[in-house]
Amino acid sequence: MRRAILILGLCGSATVLVAGAMKADGISDRAKKVHFSSIVVDTHDDTTQRLVDGKFDIGRRDTNGSIDIPRMKEGNLSAIFFSIWKSSKITGHDAVKRALDQIDSVREQIRKHPDALVLATTAAAVRDARKQGKIAALMGVEGGHMIASDLGVLRSYAALGVRYMTLTHSGNCEWADSSTAKAGHNGLSDFGKDVVREMNRLGVIVDISHVSDKTFYDVLETSEAPVFASHSSCRAICDAPRNMTDQMIKDLAAKGGVIQINYHVGFLSQEFRDAEKAKPELEKEIQAEVAKRCGDNESCQLIEGDNVVREYVKAGKLPRVDWTKIIEHIDHAVKLAGADHVGLGSDFDGAMMPFGMEDASKLPRITEALLQRGYSESDVRKILGENTLRVMTEVDRVSREMNAAVSKGERVLSSVRTKSERAGK
Ligand SMILES: [Zn+2]
C-alpha cells in the first residue's frame, strides 16, 4: 500500500529526468558518486521500539517502517543513532528499566548482525565502521526523565554506549522544561545544570530537541561543549514550538552546534499543521484507527500512525507533503548559519514521513537536490554527516580536558558530588 503511494511520489519528479546524466531513479551519476562516498549520519531513529518488540529482524528488508539493514545500505546510511525513548509520563525506576531494555535490544541486534552493524561511540569509530563496510550503530536517550534524577544512571548509560541525551521529551522532566508543556523550572534547574556539566565531562552530547526556548538558552550558557538538536526543524517555515527559531539556529551555530533537520510532516509543513489544527476530529479518528490496529503495542502504533496518515492524505483529508520540504528546511538553516551547522535527524519509525522519503533508501535524493541547488560537494558531505562527526570529536575533546582538570584537582564539579546527586538535588 505504501509502495503504491511512493510510485505517485516519483511521478512528481519527472521534470528532473530531462537533466543530462539523470538515471531512471532520478539520481545523477555525480550525486551517486558524492552520496555513496560520504559518511551519512542520521541522529534520530525510533526503530528501537521495533527492536524491543522482539518480532522485528533489522537484518531483513521489511515492507513496513523506514529502517532495516538492506534499506540502510541501499541509501548509504552509514551511522544511525537509535533512540532510547519512553513517554515522559513514565518516570523513576520504571523509566530506567525501559531504557535498559532498549539499550540491550540495540546491543543484541549488533551482536546478531556482526557483519553489518558495529557499536560506535566516537567519530573515529564511525569512520572505522565505514572502512570495514559496516553501519555504525549509536544510541541517544530521548528524555532526561529516563535518568530518574540520578547522575549515576546517566554515567551507566554512557558506559553502555549512549552518546547523546535529549534533555526532555514532550513533557517537562524533573529538572528541565519542554517546549510542549507549561514551564515548571524556568528552563534548567540547578540540578539540570549539573546534568549538563556531567554530560560534558562524560562526553555525552547535550541534545536540545524538544526543550523549551528558555531551557535551550540555559543549556547554551551552561554547556562547555557544542550541543546539537538531534531532530528539529525551522520554526520560520513551520511554527511548531519544538522547531527552532532563526535566532536559536544562529546561536546554536555560534557555539559550534548543529541543527539536524527532522522529516516529520507536522514539523516540516505549516499547511499540514494548519490542516491538523483546523480538524481536531481527524486526530481523534486517526488515533482510534491506530488503536484498533495496534492495541497498546507502541512500536506498532508508531509505524501504523505513519500508514494511517498516508491513507488520510490519499483520501484528500490531509494535505500531501513532499520530501522536497526537507530541502527547504536544510536550505533555510544553511542560509542562516552556514553549511557547517546543519545535518539530518529523520525521526524515521517514529513520525509521519513526507512522500518520497518513506525510508532510508531514499536518502540519495537529498544529495541530488542539494547539488542541484548549487551546494558544493564538500558542503553536501558536511550536511550528510561530517558536521555531526565534528561535534562528536569536539565533545570528546572537552570531556578529556574536563576529566584532566578534575583529576589534577584544578576543578571541582558539583556534578561529581555523589551525595547530593543521589538526593536528586
Ligand atoms: Zn522526538
Side-chain angles (χ1 to χ4, degrees), residues 44 46 83 85 142 166 168-170 207 209-210 230-231 242 262 267 347 350:
H44 196 90
D46 283 305
S83 173
W85 167 84
E142 187 178 21
T166 322
T168 72
H169 189 242
S170 49
D207 175 19
S209 283
H210 282 290
S230 72
H231 59 310
R242 70 176 286 319
N262 187 318
F267 303 148
D347 225 344

Side-chain angles (χ1 to χ4, degrees), residues 190-211:
D190 286 345
F191 179 73
K193 288 174 186 168
D194 271 358
V195 173
V196 167
R197 288 183 201 108
E198 190 63 354
M199 289 172 74
N200 286 166
R201 190 187 68 79
L202 290 165
V204 173
I205 302 164
V206 181
D207 175 19
I208 53 81
S209 283
H210 282 290
V211 305

Side-chain angles (χ1 to χ4, degrees), residues 212-227:
S212 73
D213 294 8
K214 176 65 167 61
T215 304
F216 167 77
Y217 280 105
D218 285 353
V219 167
L220 282 198
E221 223 180 271
T222 310
S223 179
E224 294 180 34
V227 305

Side-chain angles (χ1 to χ4, degrees), residues 35-36 40 70-77 360-364:
H35 188 84
F36 287 92
V40 182
R71 285 182 288 173
M72 280 192 270
K73 284 188 172 166
E74 218 173 290
N76 189 38
L77 180 50
S361 74
K362 309 296 183 297
L363 289 169

